[in-house]
Amino acid sequence: MSSAGSHPIVMASNRKACVVGSGSNGLAAAIVLAQAGLQVDVFEAQPIPGGATRSMELTLPGFTHDFGSAVYALAASSPFLSKLPLKDHGLEWIHSPAPLAHPLDDGTAVVLERDVEAAAAELGSDGGAWRALTEPLVTHWHDLAPELLGPILKIPSHPWLLARFGINALLSAKAISRRFKNERTRALFAGLAAHSFLSLDEPLSSAFGILMAVPAHAVGWPIARQGSQSFTNALCGYLAKLGGKVATSSRVDSLDALSGYGLILCDITPQQLLAIGGRRLSETYKRQLRKFRYGPGVFKIDYALSAPIPWKAPECARAATIHLGGNFDEIAASEKAVRSGQHPGRPFILLVQPTLFDPSRAPAGKHTAWAYCHVPNKSTFDMLPRLEDQIERFAPGFREIVLARHVLSPSHLESMDANRVGGDISGGVIDLRQMLFRPTLKLYATSAPGLYLCSSSTPPGGGVHGMCGFHAAMRALADLKW
Ligand SMILES: Cc1cc2nc3c(=O)[nH]c(=O)nc-3n(C[C@H](O)[C@H](O)[C@H](O)COP(=O)(O)OP(=O)(O)OC[C@H]3O[C@@H](n4cnc5c(N)ncnc54)[C@H](O)[C@@H]3O)c2cc1C
């Protein structure tokens, strides 16, 4: 084994690689390695592949629910995933007429339209400010996405574009919201920025607002026909065509069991790498991994419904994704409470109502919905009453249409996907430090030659874009010498 600067040369004894974990990043990594001609085995602990991109009958027979991710703006934007022939393997995106609606207490909703012009018109006197914030980035999204969906510390291919994004992205959502005159636009931006899990007065919180808004216009916020599993199945189908294999119900408890592989890529988080790979890692690297910080968790409910959700604002029926939480100040208070370890009385809720646009997921005339709110990491608090009070606030009579509900607390989420540590859906906090050095200065590499991390605990972090897996596999291939 020898090393050359920051790129150690890995002398692989065979052309066999394996990936631990079959989430979107693990499968993306496996596909890159298989495309390079390696023989690839994927080991997955759960009975079905996909990690946080799976669907299952969580409530009643005939109702298909997305266990984790449901809306795929980042997958549709991904410079890697969007170029794979996933359509040939059964993936079909469905776009609701508008990506997002955000109901307010006056019985109306502010709707984020897909088209920038239409969005600007909807936002009235804030239309110009909205266009100024988003339009230049929407126009160049296909150049900007590769810059943002990877390690940030590199020589950019499009420096002016990145600078244009960075000037606003480094600010807090609160600072950006001052550009809007209307409470409605500020509420809309608060909901988008709250995807960050940061307090809305923290630097970088606006980055997430912009990163959610720009793809809404550029590629839309699609859902996958028949549920998220069809997305994972398409990745597995393409991997199989390349000769890769996925072994389910195959938890890896120690990397020692994988000694036959020249390369090992781990779609797991630092805590798990310490547990299964400890003996292989240097003491310095292990110390660095132990400093990695996980973020807040989520409390999620899946619903089987007898009818569509009875929104007060009829516009809500045009969007698959709904943000519930009222105005900017209320959403900011909710996120600040979670960031400081508390449970908000009126939580900000992300809700998806897929069956309005994809009836294949429920028996005829019936519906599903998925809703979650942020809670402190490892929370055991029952948020169900507060979460449903928020839905009732904007859709009176909601509880009466519930046929069945399935609750996923943070610990329940983690029991079904070990990467959801304490209920964290992003693979670790994404603040400035953990965005730059994720999970350490080495990014995808570890202290052990031939061993890499490829989960959302590496750049660019959470979301279904596969780019953690793509970059990790490219790094592994670059280090490789047969
Ligand atoms: C409730 C929820 C809603 C979300 N909504 C969205 C959304 O709408 N859009 C979006 O883009 N993102 C969303 N996300 C985030 C997104 O799903 C994740 O960021 C993404 O799935 C991370 O992919 P991954 O491959 O890094 O990890 P995962 O998808 O978590 O996959 C990791 C896999 O590794 C397996 N594994 C772990 N340890 C071992 C082991 N020792 N041996 C074998 N296998 C192991 C796990 O079982 C799992 O299958 C959501 C997440 C959740 C939980």
Side-chain angles (χ1 to χ4, degrees), residues 20-21 23-25 43-46 50-52 68-71 251-252 267-268 272 300 370 372 417 419-420 425 455-456 462-464:
V20 180
S24 47
N25 283 311
F43 298 106
E44 168 54 51
Q46 297 292 323
S69 56
V71 182
R251 178 179 301 282
V252 175
D267 183 11
I268 60 177
Q272 297 145 276
K300 174 175 182 265
W370 138 144
Y372 72 76
D417 176 355
N419 286 28
R420 310 280 63 91
I425 69 169
S455 72
S456 58
V464 177

PDB file of all heavy atoms in Angstrom, residues 20-21 23-25 43-46 50-52 68-71 251-252 267-268 272 300 370 372 417 419-420 425 455-456 462-464, ligand 1:
ATOM      1  N   VAL A  20     -21.931  -1.254   1.169  1.00  0.00           N
ATOM      2  CA  VAL A  20     -22.730  -1.588   2.353  1.00  0.00           C
ATOM      3  C   VAL A  20     -23.885  -0.597   2.416  1.00  0.00           C
ATOM      4  O   VAL A  20     -23.675   0.594   2.639  1.00  0.00           O
ATOM      5  CB  VAL A  20     -21.875  -1.503   3.641  1.00  0.00           C
ATOM      6  CG1 VAL A  20     -22.722  -1.841   4.863  1.00  0.00           C
ATOM      7  CG2 VAL A  20     -20.659  -2.406   3.546  1.00  0.00           C
ATOM      8  N   GLY A  21     -25.112  -1.080   2.179  1.00  0.00           N
ATOM      9  CA  GLY A  21     -26.290  -0.212   2.207  1.00  0.00           C
ATOM     10  C   GLY A  21     -26.784   0.109   0.811  1.00  0.00           C
ATOM     11  O   GLY A  21     -26.001   0.477  -0.068  1.00  0.00           O
ATOM     12  N   GLY A  23     -29.245   2.436  -0.046  1.00  0.00           N
ATOM     13  CA  GLY A  23     -29.975   3.688  -0.230  1.00  0.00           C
ATOM     14  C   GLY A  23     -29.632   4.262  -1.600  1.00  0.00           C
ATOM     15  O   GLY A  23     -28.846   3.669  -2.365  1.00  0.00           O
ATOM     16  N   SER A  24     -30.213   5.399  -1.920  1.00  0.00           N
ATOM     17  CA  SER A  24     -29.970   5.992  -3.239  1.00  0.00           C
ATOM     18  C   SER A  24     -28.483   6.256  -3.460  1.00  0.00           C
ATOM     19  O   SER A  24     -27.982   6.097  -4.581  1.00  0.00           O
ATOM     20  CB  SER A  24     -30.784   7.279  -3.396  1.00  0.00           C
ATOM     21  OG  SER A  24     -30.642   8.103  -2.251  1.00  0.00           O
ATOM     22  N   ASN A  25     -27.772   6.617  -2.387  1.00  0.00           N
ATOM     23  CA  ASN A  25     -26.328   6.856  -2.554  1.00  0.00           C
ATOM     24  C   ASN A  25     -25.547   5.564  -2.743  1.00  0.00           C
ATOM     25  O   ASN A  25     -24.610   5.513  -3.548  1.00  0.00           O
ATOM     26  CB  ASN A  25     -25.780   7.632  -1.349  1.00  0.00           C
ATOM     27  CG  ASN A  25     -26.144   9.105  -1.425  1.00  0.00           C
ATOM     28  OD1 ASN A  25     -25.947   9.734  -2.457  1.00  0.00           O
ATOM     29  ND2 ASN A  25     -26.687   9.638  -0.347  1.00  0.00           N
ATOM     30  N   PHE A  43     -24.723  -5.021  -0.132  1.00  0.00           N
ATOM     31  CA  PHE A  43     -25.293  -5.716   1.028  1.00  0.00           C
ATOM     32  C   PHE A  43     -26.246  -4.784   1.759  1.00  0.00           C
ATOM     33  O   PHE A  43     -25.847  -3.701   2.192  1.00  0.00           O
ATOM     34  CB  PHE A  43     -24.183  -6.184   1.974  1.00  0.00           C
ATOM     35  CG  PHE A  43     -23.257  -7.162   1.325  1.00  0.00           C
ATOM     36  CD1 PHE A  43     -21.976  -6.785   0.937  1.00  0.00           C
ATOM     37  CD2 PHE A  43     -23.686  -8.457   1.059  1.00  0.00           C
ATOM     38  CE1 PHE A  43     -21.126  -7.682   0.308  1.00  0.00           C
ATOM     39  CE2 PHE A  43     -22.838  -9.366   0.430  1.00  0.00           C
ATOM     40  CZ  PHE A  43     -21.560  -8.977   0.054  1.00  0.00           C
ATOM     41  N   GLU A  44     -27.483  -5.204   1.892  1.00  0.00           N
ATOM     42  CA  GLU A  44     -28.518  -4.373   2.510  1.00  0.00           C
ATOM     43  C   GLU A  44     -29.106  -5.088   3.722  1.00  0.00           C
ATOM     44  O   GLU A  44     -29.534  -6.239   3.627  1.00  0.00           O
ATOM     45  CB  GLU A  44     -29.618  -4.067   1.475  1.00  0.00           C
ATOM     46  CG  GLU A  44     -30.886  -3.465   2.041  1.00  0.00           C
ATOM     47  CD  GLU A  44     -30.650  -2.213   2.876  1.00  0.00           C
ATOM     48  OE1 GLU A  44     -29.969  -1.284   2.394  1.00  0.00           O
ATOM     49  OE2 GLU A  44     -31.139  -2.164   4.030  1.00  0.00           O
ATOM     50  N   ALA A  45     -29.156  -4.365   4.858  1.00  0.00           N
ATOM     51  CA  ALA A  45     -29.651  -4.973   6.102  1.00  0.00           C
ATOM     52  C   ALA A  45     -31.145  -5.298   6.043  1.00  0.00           C
ATOM     53  O   ALA A  45     -31.588  -6.311   6.569  1.00  0.00           O
ATOM     54  CB  ALA A  45     -29.385  -4.015   7.266  1.00  0.00           C
ATOM     55  N   GLN A  46     -31.929  -4.443   5.394  1.00  0.00           N
ATOM     56  CA  GLN A  46     -33.394  -4.580   5.411  1.00  0.00           C
ATOM     57  C   GLN A  46     -33.868  -5.592   4.350  1.00  0.00           C
ATOM     58  O   GLN A  46     -33.140  -5.868   3.388  1.00  0.00           O
ATOM     59  CB  GLN A  46     -34.036  -3.220   5.146  1.00  0.00           C
ATOM     60  CG  GLN A  46     -33.736  -2.183   6.214  1.00  0.00           C
ATOM     61  CD  GLN A  46     -34.378  -2.503   7.553  1.00  0.00           C
ATOM     62  OE1 GLN A  46     -35.502  -3.010   7.620  1.00  0.00           O
ATOM     63  NE2 GLN A  46     -33.646  -2.229   8.632  1.00  0.00           N
ATOM     64  N   GLY A  50     -33.360   0.173  -0.744  1.00  0.00           N
ATOM     65  CA  GLY A  50     -33.801   1.554  -0.940  1.00  0.00           C
ATOM     66  C   GLY A  50     -33.597   2.478   0.242  1.00  0.00           C
ATOM     67  O   GLY A  50     -33.633   3.694   0.082  1.00  0.00           O
ATOM     68  N   GLY A  51     -33.432   1.935   1.469  1.00  0.00           N
ATOM     69  CA  GLY A  51     -33.217   2.821   2.624  1.00  0.00           C
ATOM     70  C   GLY A  51     -34.381   3.782   2.788  1.00  0.00           C
ATOM     71  O   GLY A  51     -35.532   3.367   2.938  1.00  0.00           O
ATOM     72  N   ALA A  52     -34.092   5.073   2.725  1.00  0.00           N
ATOM     73  CA  ALA A  52     -35.147   6.086   2.878  1.00  0.00           C
ATOM     74  C   ALA A  52     -35.842   6.371   1.550  1.00  0.00           C
ATOM     75  O   ALA A  52     -36.524   7.383   1.406  1.00  0.00           O
ATOM     76  CB  ALA A  52     -34.572   7.358   3.482  1.00  0.00           C
ATOM     77  N   GLY A  68     -39.855   6.992   3.489  1.00  0.00           N
ATOM     78  CA  GLY A  68     -39.031   8.203   3.669  1.00  0.00           C
ATOM     79  C   GLY A  68     -39.337   9.204   2.578  1.00  0.00           C
ATOM     80  O   GLY A  68     -40.439   9.762   2.524  1.00  0.00           O
ATOM     81  N   SER A  69     -38.358   9.380   1.669  1.00  0.00           N
ATOM     82  CA  SER A  69     -38.495  10.420   0.641  1.00  0.00           C
ATOM     83  C   SER A  69     -39.706  10.173  -0.246  1.00  0.00           C
ATOM     84  O   SER A  69     -40.085   9.028  -0.503  1.00  0.00           O
ATOM     85  CB  SER A  69     -37.222  10.473  -0.201  1.00  0.00           C
ATOM     86  OG  SER A  69     -36.963   9.208  -0.759  1.00  0.00           O
ATOM     87  N   ALA A  70     -40.277  11.293  -0.728  1.00  0.00           N
ATOM     88  CA  ALA A  70     -41.480  11.196  -1.571  1.00  0.00           C
ATOM     89  C   ALA A  70     -41.419  12.134  -2.766  1.00  0.00           C
ATOM     90  O   ALA A  70     -42.082  11.892  -3.766  1.00  0.00           O
ATOM     91  CB  ALA A  70     -42.714  11.517  -0.727  1.00  0.00           C
ATOM     92  N   VAL A  71     -40.652  13.221  -2.659  1.00  0.00           N
ATOM     93  CA  VAL A  71     -40.679  14.273  -3.679  1.00  0.00           C
ATOM     94  C   VAL A  71     -39.261  14.453  -4.218  1.00  0.00           C
ATOM     95  O   VAL A  71     -38.322  14.617  -3.434  1.00  0.00           O
ATOM     96  CB  VAL A  71     -41.222  15.583  -3.072  1.00  0.00           C
ATOM     97  CG1 VAL A  71     -41.298  16.672  -4.132  1.00  0.00           C
ATOM     98  CG2 VAL A  71     -42.598  15.346  -2.465  1.00  0.00           C
ATOM     99  N   ARG A 251     -27.257  -7.715   6.791  1.00  0.00           N
ATOM    100  CA  ARG A 251     -26.611  -6.654   7.567  1.00  0.00           C
ATOM    101  C   ARG A 251     -25.119  -6.943   7.705  1.00  0.00           C
ATOM    102  O   ARG A 251     -24.726  -8.077   7.987  1.00  0.00           O
ATOM    103  CB  ARG A 251     -27.241  -6.557   8.965  1.00  0.00           C
ATOM    104  CG  ARG A 251     -26.580  -5.488   9.857  1.00  0.00           C
ATOM    105  CD  ARG A 251     -27.254  -5.416  11.226  1.00  0.00           C
ATOM    106  NE  ARG A 251     -28.677  -5.108  11.114  1.00  0.00           N
ATOM    107  CZ  ARG A 251     -29.164  -3.889  10.888  1.00  0.00           C
ATOM    108  NH1 ARG A 251     -28.342  -2.858  10.802  1.00  0.00           N
ATOM    109  NH2 ARG A 251     -30.455  -3.699  10.774  1.00  0.00           N
ATOM    110  N   VAL A 252     -24.282  -5.952   7.505  1.00  0.00           N
ATOM    111  CA  VAL A 252     -22.840  -6.115   7.698  1.00  0.00           C
ATOM    112  C   VAL A 252     -22.519  -5.660   9.127  1.00  0.00           C
ATOM    113  O   VAL A 252     -22.712  -4.498   9.474  1.00  0.00           O
ATOM    114  CB  VAL A 252     -22.049  -5.282   6.663  1.00  0.00           C
ATOM    115  CG1 VAL A 252     -20.553  -5.353   6.952  1.00  0.00           C
ATOM    116  CG2 VAL A 252     -22.353  -5.766   5.245  1.00  0.00           C
ATOM    117  N   ASP A 267     -22.470   3.060   2.559  1.00  0.00           N
ATOM    118  CA  ASP A 267     -23.601   3.987   2.560  1.00  0.00           C
ATOM    119  C   ASP A 267     -24.166   4.011   3.989  1.00  0.00           C
ATOM    120  O   ASP A 267     -25.330   3.649   4.222  1.00  0.00           O
ATOM    121  CB  ASP A 267     -24.645   3.491   1.537  1.00  0.00           C
ATOM    122  CG  ASP A 267     -25.829   4.444   1.417  1.00  0.00           C
ATOM    123  OD1 ASP A 267     -25.748   5.565   1.944  1.00  0.00           O
ATOM    124  OD2 ASP A 267     -26.829   4.047   0.798  1.00  0.00           O
ATOM    125  N   ILE A 268     -23.295   4.381   4.923  1.00  0.00           N
ATOM    126  CA  ILE A 268     -23.691   4.410   6.334  1.00  0.00           C
ATOM    127  C   ILE A 268     -23.130   5.699   6.942  1.00  0.00           C
ATOM    128  O   ILE A 268     -22.351   6.396   6.298  1.00  0.00           O
ATOM    129  CB  ILE A 268     -23.166   3.168   7.106  1.00  0.00           C
ATOM    130  CG1 ILE A 268     -21.634   3.101   7.067  1.00  0.00           C
ATOM    131  CG2 ILE A 268     -23.750   1.885   6.517  1.00  0.00           C
ATOM    132  CD1 ILE A 268     -21.042   1.939   7.868  1.00  0.00           C
ATOM    133  N   GLN A 272     -22.049   4.435  12.580  1.00  0.00           N
ATOM    134  CA  GLN A 272     -22.070   3.021  12.166  1.00  0.00           C
ATOM    135  C   GLN A 272     -20.694   2.575  11.664  1.00  0.00           C
ATOM    136  O   GLN A 272     -20.282   1.442  11.912  1.00  0.00           O
ATOM    137  CB  GLN A 272     -23.098   2.809  11.061  1.00  0.00           C
ATOM    138  CG  GLN A 272     -24.517   3.107  11.493  1.00  0.00           C
ATOM    139  CD  GLN A 272     -25.303   3.723  10.345  1.00  0.00           C
ATOM    140  OE1 GLN A 272     -25.246   4.921  10.106  1.00  0.00           O
ATOM    141  NE2 GLN A 272     -26.001   2.882   9.618  1.00  0.00           N
ATOM    142  N   LYS A 300     -43.008  11.315  12.080  1.00  0.00           N
ATOM    143  CA  LYS A 300     -43.732  11.188  10.802  1.00  0.00           C
ATOM    144  C   LYS A 300     -44.987  10.318  10.965  1.00  0.00           C
ATOM    145  O   LYS A 300     -44.967   9.325  11.698  1.00  0.00           O
ATOM    146  CB  LYS A 300     -42.811  10.545   9.767  1.00  0.00           C
ATOM    147  CG  LYS A 300     -43.481  10.219   8.436  1.00  0.00           C
ATOM    148  CD  LYS A 300     -42.475   9.702   7.419  1.00  0.00           C
ATOM    149  CE  LYS A 300     -43.111   9.420   6.082  1.00  0.00           C
ATOM    150  NZ  LYS A 300     -43.504   8.023   5.907  1.00  0.00           N
ATOM    151  N   TRP A 370     -48.746  11.742   3.804  1.00  0.00           N
ATOM    152  CA  TRP A 370     -47.567  11.559   4.657  1.00  0.00           C
ATOM    153  C   TRP A 370     -47.261  12.923   5.226  1.00  0.00           C
ATOM    154  O   TRP A 370     -47.368  13.915   4.507  1.00  0.00           O
ATOM    155  CB  TRP A 370     -46.565  10.960   3.776  1.00  0.00           C
ATOM    156  CG  TRP A 370     -45.114  11.138   3.548  1.00  0.00           C
ATOM    157  CD1 TRP A 370     -44.258  10.103   3.240  1.00  0.00           C
ATOM    158  CD2 TRP A 370     -44.307  12.322   3.485  1.00  0.00           C
ATOM    159  NE1 TRP A 370     -42.994  10.591   2.999  1.00  0.00           N
ATOM    160  CE2 TRP A 370     -43.004  11.944   3.154  1.00  0.00           C
ATOM    161  CE3 TRP A 370     -44.560  13.678   3.690  1.00  0.00           C
ATOM    162  CZ2 TRP A 370     -41.942  12.851   3.027  1.00  0.00           C
ATOM    163  CZ3 TRP A 370     -43.514  14.583   3.551  1.00  0.00           C
ATOM    164  CH2 TRP A 370     -42.225  14.154   3.234  1.00  0.00           C
ATOM    165  N   TYR A 372     -44.784  15.080   8.283  1.00  0.00           N
ATOM    166  CA  TYR A 372     -43.833  15.025   9.395  1.00  0.00           C
ATOM    167  C   TYR A 372     -43.513  16.412   9.899  1.00  0.00           C
ATOM    168  O   TYR A 372     -43.719  17.406   9.201  1.00  0.00           O
ATOM    169  CB  TYR A 372     -42.559  14.248   9.032  1.00  0.00           C
ATOM    170  CG  TYR A 372     -41.569  14.897   8.076  1.00  0.00           C
ATOM    171  CD1 TYR A 372     -40.722  15.914   8.491  1.00  0.00           C
ATOM    172  CD2 TYR A 372     -41.440  14.435   6.772  1.00  0.00           C
ATOM    173  CE1 TYR A 372     -39.797  16.476   7.615  1.00  0.00           C
ATOM    174  CE2 TYR A 372     -40.521  14.988   5.889  1.00  0.00           C
ATOM    175  CZ  TYR A 372     -39.694  16.013   6.328  1.00  0.00           C
ATOM    176  OH  TYR A 372     -38.791  16.567   5.472  1.00  0.00           O
ATOM    177  N   ASP A 417     -34.202   1.896   9.326  1.00  0.00           N
ATOM    178  CA  ASP A 417     -33.086   2.356   8.484  1.00  0.00           C
ATOM    179  C   ASP A 417     -32.030   2.912   9.438  1.00  0.00           C
ATOM    180  O   ASP A 417     -32.190   4.017   9.973  1.00  0.00           O
ATOM    181  CB  ASP A 417     -33.569   3.444   7.507  1.00  0.00           C
ATOM    182  CG  ASP A 417     -32.430   4.036   6.677  1.00  0.00           C
ATOM    183  OD1 ASP A 417     -31.254   3.682   6.919  1.00  0.00           O
ATOM    184  OD2 ASP A 417     -32.719   4.860   5.790  1.00  0.00           O
ATOM    185  N   ASN A 419     -29.400   4.347   9.187  1.00  0.00           N
ATOM    186  CA  ASN A 419     -28.806   5.665   8.894  1.00  0.00           C
ATOM    187  C   ASN A 419     -29.598   6.823   9.491  1.00  0.00           C
ATOM    188  O   ASN A 419     -29.113   7.947   9.517  1.00  0.00           O
ATOM    189  CB  ASN A 419     -28.713   5.894   7.375  1.00  0.00           C
ATOM    190  CG  ASN A 419     -27.609   5.079   6.739  1.00  0.00           C
ATOM    191  OD1 ASN A 419     -27.257   4.027   7.242  1.00  0.00           O
ATOM    192  ND2 ASN A 419     -27.068   5.556   5.635  1.00  0.00           N
ATOM    193  N   ARG A 420     -30.808   6.565   9.917  1.00  0.00           N
ATOM    194  CA  ARG A 420     -31.648   7.640  10.463  1.00  0.00           C
ATOM    195  C   ARG A 420     -31.342   7.795  11.951  1.00  0.00           C
ATOM    196  O   ARG A 420     -32.197   7.619  12.803  1.00  0.00           O
ATOM    197  CB  ARG A 420     -33.144   7.354  10.233  1.00  0.00           C
ATOM    198  CG  ARG A 420     -33.526   6.978   8.819  1.00  0.00           C
ATOM    199  CD  ARG A 420     -33.657   8.173   7.902  1.00  0.00           C
ATOM    200  NE  ARG A 420     -32.452   8.921   7.695  1.00  0.00           N
ATOM    201  CZ  ARG A 420     -31.565   8.719   6.711  1.00  0.00           C
ATOM    202  NH1 ARG A 420     -31.743   7.758   5.858  1.00  0.00           N
ATOM    203  NH2 ARG A 420     -30.492   9.485   6.607  1.00  0.00           N
ATOM    204  N   ILE A 425     -32.894  12.865   9.250  1.00  0.00           N
ATOM    205  CA  ILE A 425     -33.113  12.381   7.886  1.00  0.00           C
ATOM    206  C   ILE A 425     -32.037  12.858   6.906  1.00  0.00           C
ATOM    207  O   ILE A 425     -32.052  12.498   5.734  1.00  0.00           O
ATOM    208  CB  ILE A 425     -34.514  12.775   7.345  1.00  0.00           C
ATOM    209  CG1 ILE A 425     -34.650  14.286   7.107  1.00  0.00           C
ATOM    210  CG2 ILE A 425     -35.614  12.306   8.283  1.00  0.00           C
ATOM    211  CD1 ILE A 425     -35.922  14.646   6.332  1.00  0.00           C
ATOM    212  N   SER A 455     -22.457   7.849   2.008  1.00  0.00           N
ATOM    213  CA  SER A 455     -23.834   8.179   2.415  1.00  0.00           C
ATOM    214  C   SER A 455     -24.030   9.690   2.441  1.00  0.00           C
ATOM    215  O   SER A 455     -23.123  10.457   2.132  1.00  0.00           O
ATOM    216  CB  SER A 455     -24.082   7.635   3.818  1.00  0.00           C
ATOM    217  OG  SER A 455     -23.349   8.417   4.746  1.00  0.00           O
ATOM    218  N   SER A 456     -25.228  10.108   2.888  1.00  0.00           N
ATOM    219  CA  SER A 456     -25.505  11.542   2.976  1.00  0.00           C
ATOM    220  C   SER A 456     -24.711  12.213   4.098  1.00  0.00           C
ATOM    221  O   SER A 456     -24.836  13.426   4.285  1.00  0.00           O
ATOM    222  CB  SER A 456     -27.003  11.786   3.149  1.00  0.00           C
ATOM    223  OG  SER A 456     -27.474  11.127   4.299  1.00  0.00           O
ATOM    224  N   GLY A 462     -27.883  15.506   2.711  1.00  0.00           N
ATOM    225  CA  GLY A 462     -29.185  14.848   2.597  1.00  0.00           C
ATOM    226  C   GLY A 462     -29.923  15.116   1.298  1.00  0.00           C
ATOM    227  O   GLY A 462     -29.614  16.063   0.562  1.00  0.00           O
ATOM    228  N   GLY A 463     -30.898  14.245   1.023  1.00  0.00           N
ATOM    229  CA  GLY A 463     -31.703  14.372  -0.199  1.00  0.00           C
ATOM    230  C   GLY A 463     -31.385  13.235  -1.144  1.00  0.00           C
ATOM    231  O   GLY A 463     -30.299  12.642  -1.093  1.00  0.00           O
ATOM    232  N   VAL A 464     -32.352  12.944  -2.017  1.00  0.00           N
ATOM    233  CA  VAL A 464     -32.162  11.855  -2.976  1.00  0.00           C
ATOM    234  C   VAL A 464     -31.636  12.442  -4.278  1.00  0.00           C
ATOM    235  O   VAL A 464     -32.390  12.933  -5.110  1.00  0.00           O
ATOM    236  CB  VAL A 464     -33.489  11.093  -3.192  1.00  0.00           C
ATOM    237  CG1 VAL A 464     -33.324  10.015  -4.243  1.00  0.00           C
ATOM    238  CG2 VAL A 464     -33.949  10.479  -1.878  1.00  0.00           C
TER     239      VAL A 464
HETATM  240  C1  LIG B   1     -39.278  10.779   6.370  1.00  0.00           C
HETATM  241  C2  LIG B   1     -38.268  11.226   5.328  1.00  0.00           C
HETATM  242  C3  LIG B   1     -38.674  12.072   4.306  1.00  0.00           C
HETATM  243  C4  LIG B   1     -37.760  12.494   3.340  1.00  0.00           C
HETATM  244  N1  LIG B   1     -38.194  13.240   2.276  1.00  0.00           N
HETATM  245  C5  LIG B   1     -37.357  13.491   1.248  1.00  0.00           C
HETATM  246  C6  LIG B   1     -37.866  13.979   0.020  1.00  0.00           C
HETATM  247  O1  LIG B   1     -39.074  14.141  -0.159  1.00  0.00           O
HETATM  248  N2  LIG B   1     -36.975  14.239  -0.980  1.00  0.00           N
HETATM  249  C7  LIG B   1     -35.620  14.011  -0.838  1.00  0.00           C
HETATM  250  O2  LIG B   1     -34.849  14.271  -1.781  1.00  0.00           O
HETATM  251  N3  LIG B   1     -35.128  13.495   0.320  1.00  0.00           N
HETATM  252  C8  LIG B   1     -35.969  13.213   1.352  1.00  0.00           C
HETATM  253  N4  LIG B   1     -35.497  12.608   2.488  1.00  0.00           N
HETATM  254  C9  LIG B   1     -34.040  12.440   2.669  1.00  0.00           C
HETATM  255  C10 LIG B   1     -33.506  11.294   1.841  1.00  0.00           C
HETATM  256  O3  LIG B   1     -34.390  10.229   1.861  1.00  0.00           O
HETATM  257  C11 LIG B   1     -32.136  10.852   2.375  1.00  0.00           C
HETATM  258  O4  LIG B   1     -31.281  11.968   2.492  1.00  0.00           O
HETATM  259  C12 LIG B   1     -31.506   9.841   1.417  1.00  0.00           C
HETATM  260  O5  LIG B   1     -32.379   8.738   1.260  1.00  0.00           O
HETATM  261  C13 LIG B   1     -30.175   9.370   1.937  1.00  0.00           C
HETATM  262  O6  LIG B   1     -29.736   8.310   1.114  1.00  0.00           O
HETATM  263  P1  LIG B   1     -28.540   7.369   1.600  1.00  0.00           P
HETATM  264  O7  LIG B   1     -28.287   6.425   0.503  1.00  0.00           O
HETATM  265  O8  LIG B   1     -27.422   8.234   2.076  1.00  0.00           O
HETATM  266  O9  LIG B   1     -29.101   6.633   2.892  1.00  0.00           O
HETATM  267  P2  LIG B   1     -30.356   5.682   3.098  1.00  0.00           P
HETATM  268  O10 LIG B   1     -31.395   5.920   2.088  1.00  0.00           O
HETATM  269  O11 LIG B   1     -30.744   5.842   4.525  1.00  0.00           O
HETATM  270  O12 LIG B   1     -29.784   4.220   2.867  1.00  0.00           O
HETATM  271  C14 LIG B   1     -28.903   3.609   3.752  1.00  0.00           C
HETATM  272  C15 LIG B   1     -29.107   2.116   3.646  1.00  0.00           C
HETATM  273  O13 LIG B   1     -28.043   1.450   4.323  1.00  0.00           O
HETATM  274  C16 LIG B   1     -28.581   0.332   5.001  1.00  0.00           C
HETATM  275  N5  LIG B   1     -27.642  -0.031   6.059  1.00  0.00           N
HETATM  276  C17 LIG B   1     -27.280   0.717   7.123  1.00  0.00           C
HETATM  277  N6  LIG B   1     -26.376   0.054   7.878  1.00  0.00           N
HETATM  278  C18 LIG B   1     -26.159  -1.136   7.257  1.00  0.00           C
HETATM  279  C19 LIG B   1     -25.330  -2.266   7.544  1.00  0.00           C
HETATM  280  N7  LIG B   1     -24.536  -2.305   8.622  1.00  0.00           N
HETATM  281  N8  LIG B   1     -25.346  -3.322   6.685  1.00  0.00           N
HETATM  282  C20 LIG B   1     -26.132  -3.298   5.580  1.00  0.00           C
HETATM  283  N9  LIG B   1     -26.939  -2.257   5.275  1.00  0.00           N
HETATM  284  C21 LIG B   1     -26.958  -1.194   6.100  1.00  0.00           C
HETATM  285  C22 LIG B   1     -29.913   0.831   5.507  1.00  0.00           C
HETATM  286  O14 LIG B   1     -30.783  -0.236   5.837  1.00  0.00           O
HETATM  287  C23 LIG B   1     -30.390   1.643   4.307  1.00  0.00           C
HETATM  288  O15 LIG B   1     -31.099   0.832   3.395  1.00  0.00           O
HETATM  289  C24 LIG B   1     -36.398  12.118   3.442  1.00  0.00           C
HETATM  290  C25 LIG B   1     -35.997  11.235   4.453  1.00  0.00           C
HETATM  291  C26 LIG B   1     -36.934  10.767   5.373  1.00  0.00           C
HETATM  292  C27 LIG B   1     -36.505   9.764   6.411  1.00  0.00           C
END
